[in-house]
């Protein structure tokens, strides 16, 4: 059964890209809704916890941010941290004002059920390829599927109950077999986790996207 996020749950908010110039600046790819807010979360931590990074300065670039990180003073040092993913504790993210908005990371691992309560799988990830948010569902068996994150297809998101109610088209998600259900009860089924701090768009509840 999916477990709720704990207080030490971390969220990936950025990735360090290539060096920018020769003075230690780096390209920074932020995963926050407003890229510039990544500098407001305080010290960022490498995925393995081996290093911490404070953002001294940041400015917009062409499709990325240009950042100066404390302790990174030349191009060689910048090369050494290239592709490092940066994390913050979940509780540093601001609360959302709209009850119909959700951080992607809070949806990962939710159980997915249909309107009758039948188990369809778990939320593996949230994607957006330019035409609205998509929920990637890992079924009890088989390949993952993508559902539009619209009010019509996902009428209920219940974070307290750790579940998402979906109304996919017939045959979109194959129903679980008896063996699948038994395997799931035994705890062998699981969904992939790829946290993303972006909040889903409020347009989900207007049916747009």
């Amino acid at each position: 059964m999916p477990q709720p996020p704990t207080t030490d749950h971390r969220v990936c908010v950025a990735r360090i890209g290539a060096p920018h110039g020769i003075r230690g600046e780096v390209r920074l790819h932020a995963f926050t809704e407003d890229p510039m807010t990544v500098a407001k979360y305080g010290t960022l931590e490498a995925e393995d916890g081996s290093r911490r990074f404070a953002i001294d300065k940041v400015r917009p670039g062409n499709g990325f941010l240009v950042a100066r990180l404390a302790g990174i003073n030349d191009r060689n040092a910048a090369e050494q941290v290239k592709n490092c993913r940066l994390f913050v504790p979940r509780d540093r993210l601001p609360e959302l004002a709209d009850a119909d908005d959700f951080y992607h990371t809070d949806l990962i691992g939710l159980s997915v059920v249909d309107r009758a309560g039948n188990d369809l799988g778990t939320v593996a990830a949230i994607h957006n390829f330019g035409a609205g948010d998509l929920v990637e569902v890992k079924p009890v068996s088989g390949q993952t599927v993508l559902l539009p994150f619209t009010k019509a297809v996902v009428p209920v998101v219940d974070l307290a109950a750790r579940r998402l109610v979906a109304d996919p088209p017939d045959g979109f998600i194959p129903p679980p077999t008896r063996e699948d259900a038994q395997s799931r009860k035994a705890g062998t089924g699981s969904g992939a986790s790829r946290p993303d701090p972006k909040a889903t768009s409020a347009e989900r509840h207007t049916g747009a996207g």
Side-chain angles (χ1 to χ4, degrees):
M1 181 177 179
Q3 298 298 313
T6 60
T7 54
D8 61 351
H9 181 65
R10 297 188 309 160
V11 177
C12 182
V13 295
R15 178 180 61 82
I16 300 174
H20 188 80
I22 62 174
R23 298 182 179 179
E25 289 185 319
V26 298
R27 296 185 180 191
L28 190 67
H29 303 279
F31 304 140
T32 49
E33 195 74 28
D34 176 359
M36 292 294 290
T37 62
V38 72
K40 299 180 180 180
Y41 294 146
T43 302
L44 310 180
E45 188 176 67
E47 186 168 9
D48 62 3
S50 62
R51 296 193 63 173
R52 294 186 176 185
F53 302 88
I55 299 177
D56 283 347
K57 295 181 179 180
V58 65
R59 67 179 190 275
N62 186 15
F64 51 84
L65 300 178
V66 177
R68 180 173 292 281
L69 306 177
I72 307 298
N73 299 315
D74 56 44
R75 189 176 182 87
N76 288 337
E79 284 282 2
Q80 292 176 10
V81 296
K82 181 180 177 180
N83 293 324
C84 180
R85 300 173 71 212
L86 303 177
F87 291 74
V88 296
R90 167 64 181 85
D91 57 14
R92 282 195 205 166
L93 300 180
E95 293 300 318
L96 296 171
D98 193 330
D100 288 334
D101 283 350
F102 311 93
Y103 281 116
H104 290 186
T105 188
D106 291 340
L107 301 178
I108 305 301
L110 292 189
S111 296
V112 181
V113 299
D114 63 17
R115 289 183 180 272
N118 297 310
D119 189 6
L120 300 179
T122 58
V123 177
I126 307 295
H127 303 284
N128 190 314
F129 303 113
D133 288 319
L134 298 170
V135 181
E136 181 179 354
V137 179
K138 173 61 178 174
V140 179
S141 64
Q143 300 294 316
T144 61
V145 295
L146 296 175
L147 295 177
F149 197 29
T150 64
K151 186 66 173 177
V153 179
V154 184
V156 177
V157 176
D158 189 341
L159 294 180
R162 300 292 297 158
R163 73 169 191 164
L164 179 154
V165 177
D167 190 17
D170 291 343
F172 200 82
I173 299 180
T177 65
R178 180 178 300 176
E179 290 78 9
D180 292 328
Q182 291 174 343
S183 174
R184 191 168 188 82
K185 287 180 180 179
T188 58
S190 63
S193 178
R194 185 167 53 195
D196 183 342
K198 290 182 180 177
T200 60
S201 172
E203 288 181 346
R204 187 183 78 80
H205 285 266
T206 66

